Amino acid sequence: MKRSKLILVLLTGAFILGACSGSSETDTKIVEEVMATEKPANTPLPPTPEPTATATEEPEPVMLPVSMVSAPLGEGDFNQYKVELPGMMPLDFEESDLPAPPGSVTANWFTSGGFYIVAYYGLDLEVSGPLCPGNSILSGGGWLHVTNAPTEEGACEGFPTLTDDPDVGPMDCHGTLFYRTAIPSDLQGTLYGTLEMLDEDGNLAGITSQAESTTEMLEIDLAATCQ
Protein backbone atom coordinates (compact mmCIF):
# COMPACT_ATOMS: atom_id res chain seq x y z
CA MET A 1 0.00 0.00 0.00
CA LYS A 2 1.25 3.42 -0.85
CA ARG A 3 2.36 5.75 1.97
CA SER A 4 -0.27 8.40 1.17
CA LYS A 5 -3.09 5.83 1.24
CA LEU A 6 -1.82 4.45 4.55
CA ILE A 7 -1.86 7.92 6.08
CA LEU A 8 -5.39 8.46 4.77
CA VAL A 9 -6.57 5.19 6.36
CA LEU A 10 -4.92 6.08 9.67
CA LEU A 11 -6.45 9.55 9.66
CA THR A 12 -9.87 8.09 8.85
CA GLY A 13 -9.51 5.52 11.63
CA ALA A 14 -8.44 8.22 14.05
CA PHE A 15 -11.45 10.29 13.09
CA ILE A 16 -13.84 7.34 13.62
CA LEU A 17 -12.15 6.46 16.89
CA GLY A 18 -12.41 10.02 18.04
CA ALA A 19 -16.05 10.15 17.11
CA CYS A 20 -16.66 7.09 19.19
CA SER A 21 -14.57 8.12 22.16
CA GLY A 22 -15.52 11.80 22.11
CA SER A 23 -12.02 12.82 23.27
CA SER A 24 -10.59 15.78 21.29
CA GLU A 25 -7.26 15.52 23.09
CA THR A 26 -6.87 11.92 21.97
CA ASP A 27 -7.78 12.91 18.38
CA THR A 28 -5.17 15.66 18.32
CA LYS A 29 -2.49 13.34 19.69
CA ILE A 30 -3.20 10.69 17.08
CA VAL A 31 -3.13 13.22 14.22
CA GLU A 32 0.18 14.65 15.48
CA GLU A 33 1.71 11.17 15.68
CA VAL A 34 0.57 10.36 12.14
CA MET A 35 1.86 13.65 10.73
CA ALA A 36 5.21 13.11 12.46
CA THR A 37 5.70 9.94 10.44
CA GLU A 38 5.41 11.93 7.16
CA LYS A 39 8.77 13.41 6.24
CA PRO A 40 9.09 16.11 3.56
CA ALA A 41 10.48 14.84 0.32
CA ASN A 42 14.08 15.84 -0.40
CA THR A 43 13.69 17.96 -3.52
CA PRO A 44 17.08 18.31 -5.24
CA LEU A 45 18.21 21.90 -5.81
CA PRO A 46 19.11 22.90 -9.35
CA PRO A 47 22.86 23.11 -9.91
CA THR A 48 24.46 26.55 -9.64
CA PRO A 49 25.63 27.58 -13.09
CA GLU A 50 29.37 28.09 -13.40
CA PRO A 51 30.34 31.71 -14.22
CA THR A 52 31.43 31.96 -17.79
CA ALA A 53 34.60 33.92 -18.52
CA THR A 54 34.05 36.63 -21.08
CA ALA A 55 36.95 37.37 -23.35
CA THR A 56 38.10 41.00 -23.17
CA GLU A 57 38.72 42.52 -26.54
CA GLU A 58 42.12 44.10 -27.03
CA PRO A 59 41.85 47.70 -28.27
CA GLU A 60 43.08 48.08 -31.80
CA PRO A 61 46.39 49.97 -32.04
CA VAL A 62 46.05 53.55 -33.22
CA MET A 63 47.83 54.22 -36.50
CA LEU A 64 49.50 57.62 -36.32
CA PRO A 65 50.06 59.56 -39.56
CA VAL A 66 53.23 59.09 -41.58
CA SER A 67 55.05 62.34 -42.31
CA MET A 68 56.74 63.24 -45.58
CA VAL A 69 59.01 65.64 -43.69
CA SER A 70 60.98 64.30 -40.73
CA ALA A 71 64.42 64.38 -39.14
CA PRO A 72 66.14 62.56 -36.23
CA LEU A 73 67.02 64.62 -33.17
CA GLY A 74 70.54 64.92 -31.82
CA GLU A 75 72.52 63.59 -34.77
CA GLY A 76 75.71 65.61 -35.23
CA ASP A 77 77.70 67.64 -32.72
CA PHE A 78 75.72 70.83 -33.28
CA ASN A 79 72.40 69.12 -32.59
CA GLN A 80 73.17 68.19 -28.98
CA TYR A 81 74.14 70.67 -26.31
CA LYS A 82 74.13 71.76 -22.69
CA VAL A 83 74.23 75.40 -21.61
CA GLU A 84 74.03 77.48 -18.48
CA LEU A 85 70.91 79.54 -17.85
CA PRO A 86 70.41 82.43 -18.23
CA GLY A 87 73.79 83.21 -19.78
CA MET A 88 73.70 80.35 -22.37
CA MET A 89 77.35 79.55 -21.66
CA PRO A 90 78.22 76.13 -23.20
CA LEU A 91 78.88 73.33 -20.67
CA ASP A 92 80.48 69.91 -20.94
CA PHE A 93 78.02 67.04 -20.86
CA GLU A 94 77.55 63.31 -21.20
CA GLU A 95 75.03 61.61 -23.46
CA SER A 96 73.09 60.59 -20.34
CA ASP A 97 72.49 64.32 -19.66
CA LEU A 98 70.37 64.65 -22.81
CA PRO A 99 66.56 64.29 -22.98
CA ALA A 100 66.90 61.15 -25.12
CA PRO A 101 69.72 59.24 -26.83
CA PRO A 102 70.76 60.99 -30.08
CA GLY A 103 68.96 59.54 -33.08
CA SER A 104 66.32 57.71 -31.01
CA VAL A 105 63.59 60.33 -31.53
CA THR A 106 62.33 61.65 -34.87
CA ALA A 107 60.58 64.97 -35.43
CA ASN A 108 57.70 64.38 -37.84
CA TRP A 109 56.12 67.48 -39.34
CA PHE A 110 52.51 68.04 -40.40
CA THR A 111 50.10 70.95 -40.78
CA SER A 112 46.74 71.41 -39.10
CA GLY A 113 44.42 74.40 -38.80
CA GLY A 114 46.87 76.79 -40.44
CA PHE A 115 49.91 75.88 -38.28
CA TYR A 116 52.77 73.40 -38.28
CA ILE A 117 52.48 70.36 -36.02
CA VAL A 118 55.46 68.27 -34.90
CA ALA A 119 55.23 64.75 -33.49
CA TYR A 120 58.14 63.26 -31.56
CA TYR A 121 58.07 59.60 -32.61
CA GLY A 122 60.21 57.32 -30.47
CA LEU A 123 60.08 59.47 -27.33
CA ASP A 124 59.12 57.83 -24.03
CA LEU A 125 58.17 60.51 -21.50
CA GLU A 126 58.14 57.93 -18.69
CA VAL A 127 61.86 57.45 -19.32
CA SER A 128 62.85 61.03 -20.10
CA GLY A 129 60.83 62.73 -17.40
CA PRO A 130 59.51 66.31 -17.69
CA LEU A 131 60.64 68.08 -20.87
CA CYS A 132 60.47 71.49 -22.45
CA PRO A 133 60.01 70.91 -26.20
CA GLY A 134 60.54 73.87 -28.50
CA ASN A 135 60.17 74.70 -32.16
CA SER A 136 61.00 77.40 -34.67
CA ILE A 137 61.56 78.04 -38.35
CA LEU A 138 64.64 79.54 -40.00
CA SER A 139 63.29 81.71 -42.77
CA GLY A 140 64.55 84.87 -44.44
CA GLY A 141 67.81 84.74 -42.52
CA GLY A 142 66.36 84.55 -39.02
CA TRP A 143 64.60 82.25 -36.55
CA LEU A 144 60.90 83.00 -36.35
CA HIS A 145 58.00 81.91 -34.13
CA VAL A 146 60.28 80.39 -31.50
CA THR A 147 58.32 78.78 -28.65
CA ASN A 148 58.84 76.39 -25.77
CA ALA A 149 56.17 74.82 -23.57
CA PRO A 150 56.40 72.27 -20.74
CA THR A 151 55.13 68.70 -20.71
CA GLU A 152 54.73 69.17 -16.95
CA GLU A 153 54.50 72.28 -14.81
CA GLY A 154 57.90 73.79 -14.06
CA ALA A 155 59.77 71.97 -16.85
CA CYS A 156 60.51 75.27 -18.66
CA GLU A 157 61.39 77.41 -15.63
CA GLY A 158 63.59 80.30 -16.75
CA PHE A 159 63.22 79.75 -20.51
CA PRO A 160 63.13 83.11 -22.32
CA THR A 161 61.04 81.63 -25.15
CA LEU A 162 58.33 80.11 -22.93
CA THR A 163 55.01 80.71 -24.70
CA ASP A 164 51.91 82.13 -23.06
CA ASP A 165 49.66 81.18 -25.99
CA PRO A 166 47.19 78.54 -24.71
CA ASP A 167 46.82 77.08 -28.21
CA VAL A 168 50.56 76.44 -28.55
CA GLY A 169 52.31 73.58 -26.79
CA PRO A 170 52.56 69.83 -26.28
CA MET A 171 49.76 67.30 -26.15
CA ASP A 172 49.55 63.57 -25.54
CA CYS A 173 48.39 61.82 -28.70
CA HIS A 174 47.83 58.13 -27.84
CA GLY A 175 51.06 58.06 -25.85
CA THR A 176 53.07 60.08 -28.39
CA LEU A 177 54.14 63.68 -27.80
CA PHE A 178 52.65 66.10 -30.36
CA TYR A 179 53.29 69.85 -30.35
CA ARG A 180 51.12 72.52 -31.94
CA THR A 181 53.61 75.22 -32.96
CA ALA A 182 53.13 78.96 -33.51
CA ILE A 183 54.58 78.65 -37.04
CA PRO A 184 52.06 79.50 -39.80
CA SER A 185 51.76 76.61 -42.26
CA ASP A 186 52.19 78.89 -45.29
CA LEU A 187 55.67 79.95 -44.14
CA GLN A 188 58.52 78.06 -45.83
CA GLY A 189 62.00 77.44 -44.44
CA THR A 190 64.00 75.11 -42.20
CA LEU A 191 61.92 73.63 -39.39
CA TYR A 192 63.65 73.06 -36.05
CA GLY A 193 62.20 70.38 -33.79
CA THR A 194 63.80 70.41 -30.35
CA LEU A 195 63.60 68.65 -26.98
CA GLU A 196 65.12 70.39 -23.97
CA MET A 197 65.22 69.76 -20.23
CA LEU A 198 66.55 71.24 -17.01
CA ASP A 199 68.99 69.41 -14.79
CA GLU A 200 69.04 69.66 -10.99
CA ASP A 201 71.32 72.70 -11.20
CA GLY A 202 69.00 74.58 -13.56
CA ASN A 203 71.19 74.06 -16.61
CA LEU A 204 69.60 73.34 -19.99
CA ALA A 205 70.39 70.24 -22.06
CA GLY A 206 68.84 69.57 -25.45
CA ILE A 207 68.77 67.79 -28.77
CA THR A 208 67.45 69.33 -31.97
CA SER A 209 66.82 68.61 -35.65
CA GLN A 210 66.35 70.36 -38.98
CA ALA A 211 63.92 69.56 -41.79
CA GLU A 212 63.08 71.52 -44.91
CA SER A 213 59.43 72.42 -45.25
CA THR A 214 57.45 71.84 -48.41
CA THR A 215 54.23 73.18 -49.89
CA GLU A 216 52.96 69.58 -49.98
CA MET A 217 53.08 68.94 -46.23
CA LEU A 218 50.58 66.38 -44.99
CA GLU A 219 47.50 68.09 -43.54
CA ILE A 220 45.95 66.30 -40.55
CA ASP A 221 42.94 66.84 -38.33
CA LEU A 222 44.80 67.18 -35.02
CA ALA A 223 41.71 66.85 -32.82
CA ALA A 224 40.46 63.76 -34.65
CA THR A 225 43.92 62.17 -34.74
CA CYS A 226 44.50 62.55 -31.01
CA GLN A 227 40.98 62.08 -29.61
Side-chain angles (χ1 to χ4, degrees):
M1 180 182 295
K2 293 184 178 181
R3 187 184 189 91
S4 59
K5 289 184 178 181
L6 175 61
I7 294 172
L8 179 60
V9 170
L10 291 173
L11 288 173
T12 304
F15 177 79
I16 295 171
L17 180 61
C20 296
S21 64
S23 173
S24 61
E25 293 181 0
T26 304
D27 295 346
T28 302
K29 184 176 181 181
I30 293 173
V31 171
E32 289 177 350
E33 290 176 353
V34 172
M35 295 302 295
T37 62
E38 178 68 15
K39 295 182 179 179
N42 293 326
T43 305
L45 296 175
T48 303
E50 293 288 335
T52 56
T54 56
T56 56
E57 295 184 0
E58 291 288 337
E60 294 186 3
V62 177
M63 300 300 293
L64 294 176
V66 178
S67 174
M68 298 181 295
V69 178
S70 63
L73 277 73
E75 291 194 344
D77 292 340
F78 294 103
N79 285 333
Q80 44 188 277
Y81 51 89
K82 186 174 184 179
V83 297
E84 184 183 62
L85 287 181
M88 304 298 287
M89 180 72 67
L91 300 172
D92 294 332
F93 64 93
E94 303 291 336
E95 184 177 303
S96 58
D97 295 333
L98 301 174
S104 65
V105 179
T106 303
N108 296 264
W109 291 90
F110 309 95
T111 60
S112 182
F115 292 90
Y116 282 102
I117 307 295
V118 60
Y120 295 97
Y121 290 175
L123 176 66
D124 188 344
L125 284 174
E126 292 186 0
V127 175
S128 67
L131 296 179
C132 186
N135 303 279
S136 62
I137 186 169
L138 180 59
S139 181
W143 278 273
L144 306 174
H145 305 289
V146 183
T147 63
N148 286 84
T151 59
E152 295 183 23
E153 186 176 356
C156 294
E157 192 72 30
F159 277 60
T161 54
L162 179 62
T163 182
D164 57 2
D165 186 340
D167 294 327
V168 174
M171 61 185 299
D172 185 338
C173 185
H174 304 291
T176 297
L177 180 66
F178 275 53
Y179 189 108
R180 194 278 213 180
T181 76
I183 309 168
S185 57
D186 59 355
L187 185 60
Q188 300 302 311
T190 303
L191 296 164
Y192 281 71
T194 304
L195 291 173
E196 295 175 324
M197 64 183 295
L198 297 172
D199 67 10
E200 58 185 9
D201 297 321
N203 300 314
L204 181 153
I207 51 177
T208 189
S209 63
Q210 300 83 35
E212 295 301 320
S213 67
T214 171
T215 56
E216 299 179 355
M217 297 280 286
L218 179 64
E219 175 83 10
I220 65 172
D221 184 334
L222 184 60
T225 299
C226 297
Q227 70 179 0

